């Protein structure tokens, strides 16, 4: 097999998704050419960035993130099917790309979503890129679901957070998978980050005030009544875990269990596992650390990748 079709699987992981950028940079540095991409949730976002020629621009945007900017991209929705619309996040990628539809990607991309009514995994590989991203990234209960072809779709990580099987089915001979859910939360590091957590919660409180003002302006007395409800949702004074922390932690646990089972049945040829277990759902402002960790883990995997690829080419 002189020519090997290399598939890259970019798994789910919310803010840890920036690590995918570092892994891709390590692969490119050593001339490893990716033939196709399979992404889910945050992995779909980076896959689209790379295949759309916007990876460097997205990287610079990520490195410029702070907590205030994170909040500015949370387009809060009236909580019927999710707290956040998520459209601002996916529209951002269109700012950096010259492509709009899957067919325009320079590398084939497949994104994974979940049919919220049947539990079926749905592979998205045509149509408008931003629509597919909205579906693939729609964390249940947090981001509102996306309707595509009369199906309500949510985050693909619900059923397959590391879709190695999908990548092989799409034609990959050799699969490199990036798993962002391998490391359990580091309690010591969580202690070290307690002060930052308080700052983050204070930022959420500022966002809460903005939402209250908007609702009161739009809905009058009803808006005031609704504001009392979200006081507890966003209050930094509450001793119990914040709702976003509950959702994020629960999703991480679920995805880790699913991955463990899936990897037994569908192992990749190379598994790269950045150690970012302490990063929480909205820690997008830790991009530098995540990208660096992704690059380092990618570099460590290079000798094994090159050795296995050489074996493949000799077959």
């Amino acid at each position: 097999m002189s020519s090997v079709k290399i598939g890259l699987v970019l798994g789910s992981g919310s803010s840890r998704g920036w690590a995918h950028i570092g892994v891709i940079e390590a692969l490119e540095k050593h001339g490893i050419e990716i033939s196709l991409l399979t992404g889910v949730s945050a992995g779909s976002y980076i896959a689209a960035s790379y295949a759309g020629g916007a990876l460097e621009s997205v990287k610079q945007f990520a490195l410029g993130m702070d907590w205030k900017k994170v909040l500015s991209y949370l387009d809060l929705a009236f909580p019927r099917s999710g707290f956040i619309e998520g459209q601002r996040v996916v529209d951002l990628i269109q700012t950096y790309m010259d492509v709009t539809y899957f067919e325009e990607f320079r590398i084939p991309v497949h994104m994974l979503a979940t049919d919220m009514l049947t539990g079926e995994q749905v592979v998205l590989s045509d149509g408008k890129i931003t629509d597919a991203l909205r579906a693939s990234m729609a964390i249940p209960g947090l981001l509102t679901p996306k309707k595509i072809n009369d199906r309500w779709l949510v985050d693909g990580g619900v059923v397959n957070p590391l879709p190695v099987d999908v990548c092989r089915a799409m034609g990959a001979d050799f699969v490199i998978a990036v798993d962002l859910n391998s490391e359990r939360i580091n309690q010591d590091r969580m202690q070290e980050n307690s002060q930052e957590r308080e700052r983050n919660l204070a930022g959420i409180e500022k966002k809460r005030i903005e939402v209250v003002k908007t609702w009161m302006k739009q809905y009058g007395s009803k808006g005031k009544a609704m504001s009392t409800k979200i006081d507890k949702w966003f209050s930094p004074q509450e001793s119990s875990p914040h709702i976003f922390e509950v959702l994020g932690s629960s999703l991480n646990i679920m995805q880790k269990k699913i991955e463990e089972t899936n990897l037994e049945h569908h192992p990749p040829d190379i598994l790269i596992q950045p150690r970012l277990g302490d990063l929480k759902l909205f820690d997008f402002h830790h991009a530098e650390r995540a990208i660096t960790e992704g690059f380092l883990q990618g570099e460590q995997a290079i000798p094994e990748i090159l050795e296995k690829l050489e074996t493949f080419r000799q077959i």
Side-chain angles (χ1 to χ4, degrees):
M1 185 183 293
S2 59
S3 179
V4 181
K5 185 178 289 187
I6 301 173
L8 179 62
V9 178
L10 303 181
S12 62
S14 58
S15 64
R16 299 186 296 280
W18 296 134
H20 291 314
I21 297 175
V23 172
I24 290 172
E25 288 181 335
L27 296 176
E28 283 199 319
K29 175 184 173 183
H30 293 275
I32 296 171
E33 187 175 341
I34 304 303
S35 302
L36 59 93
L37 290 153
T38 303
V40 57
S41 198
S44 293
Y45 196 85
I46 301 304
S49 302
Y50 183 51
L55 191 68
E56 182 60 30
S57 296
V58 169
K59 176 185 177 181
Q60 294 308 315
F61 168 80
L63 292 174
M65 290 284 279
D66 55 24
W67 183 241
K68 186 176 180 181
K69 284 186 178 180
V70 173
L71 288 174
S72 72
Y73 280 92
L74 302 185
D75 44 352
L76 295 181
F78 186 81
R80 173 179 170 83
S81 54
F83 287 101
I84 300 168
E85 290 290 354
Q87 194 60 44
R88 293 198 65 192
V89 177
V90 296
D91 284 346
L92 175 69
I93 200 171
Q94 202 67 66
T95 304
Y96 301 117
M97 292 194 313
D98 294 327
V99 300
T100 302
Y101 299 95
F102 275 85
E103 294 75 15
E104 301 173 80
F105 277 141
R106 63 185 182 87
I107 302 172
V109 175
H110 300 86
M111 301 181 191
L112 204 67
T114 304
D115 186 316
M116 63 171 287
L117 300 179
T118 67
E120 178 187 1
Q121 71 176 23
V122 179
V123 179
L124 303 168
S125 59
D126 57 26
K128 197 172 182 181
I129 297 164
T130 52
D131 286 347
L133 282 172
R134 268 288 287 108
S136 184
M137 298 170 63
I139 299 172
L142 184 60
L143 272 71
T144 57
K146 178 68 176 177
K147 193 173 188 180
I148 297 178
N149 297 330
D150 294 324
R151 305 176 82 174
W152 284 106
L153 304 180
V154 295
D155 195 315
V158 171
V159 293
N160 199 347
L162 194 66
V164 174
D165 56 329
V166 175
C167 190
R168 290 201 191 279
M170 296 306 154
D173 302 313
F174 186 92
V175 176
I176 301 170
V178 185
D179 171 21
L180 301 180
N181 297 305
S182 63
E183 186 186 44
R184 296 304 296 263
I185 294 175
N186 184 313
Q187 296 297 329
D188 292 335
R189 198 174 290 171
M190 284 184 69
Q191 288 266 341
E192 294 171 6
N193 291 345
S194 61
Q195 291 183 346
E196 181 176 2
R197 177 181 180 277
E198 291 303 314
R199 288 195 298 270
N200 291 349
L201 290 177
I204 291 175
E205 170 66 6
K206 290 181 180 179
K207 190 67 176 179
R208 180 194 68 79
I209 293 172
E210 294 176 13
V211 174
V212 169
K213 288 180 179 179
T214 300
W215 281 5
M216 289 183 67
K217 183 177 180 181
Q218 291 180 349
Y219 302 107
S221 60
K222 290 184 178 180
K224 184 176 181 180
M226 289 188 291
S227 72
T228 62
K229 296 291 185 182
I230 65 170
D231 276 339
K232 286 189 175 293
W233 299 346
F234 290 93
S235 174
Q237 305 303 322
E238 291 290 323
S239 57
S240 60
H242 191 274
I243 187 170
F244 291 162
E245 292 183 73
V246 174
L247 286 169
S249 180
S250 299
L251 186 67
N252 288 344
I253 293 169
M254 177 192 73
Q255 290 183 340
K256 180 174 174 58
K257 294 298 182 181
I258 294 172
E259 279 185 9
E260 289 174 351
T261 300
N262 287 355
L263 285 172
E264 289 180 5
H265 296 90
H266 305 287
D269 297 285
I270 299 291
L271 182 63
I272 299 174
Q273 298 177 305
R275 298 177 61 81
L276 297 166
D278 60 302
L279 289 191
K280 297 182 288 297
L281 195 64
F282 288 125
D283 283 349
F284 293 101
H285 51 303
H286 288 293
E288 183 174 6
R289 178 185 155 207
I291 293 170
T292 299
E293 173 65 10
F295 182 81
L296 292 174
Q297 294 298 327
E299 279 282 311
Q300 289 184 20
I302 294 299
E304 184 181 4
I305 292 173
L306 294 176
E307 181 181 351
K308 287 190 173 182
L309 280 176
E310 183 60 31
T311 301
F312 263 81
R313 293 186 176 110
Q314 291 174 2
I315 296 177

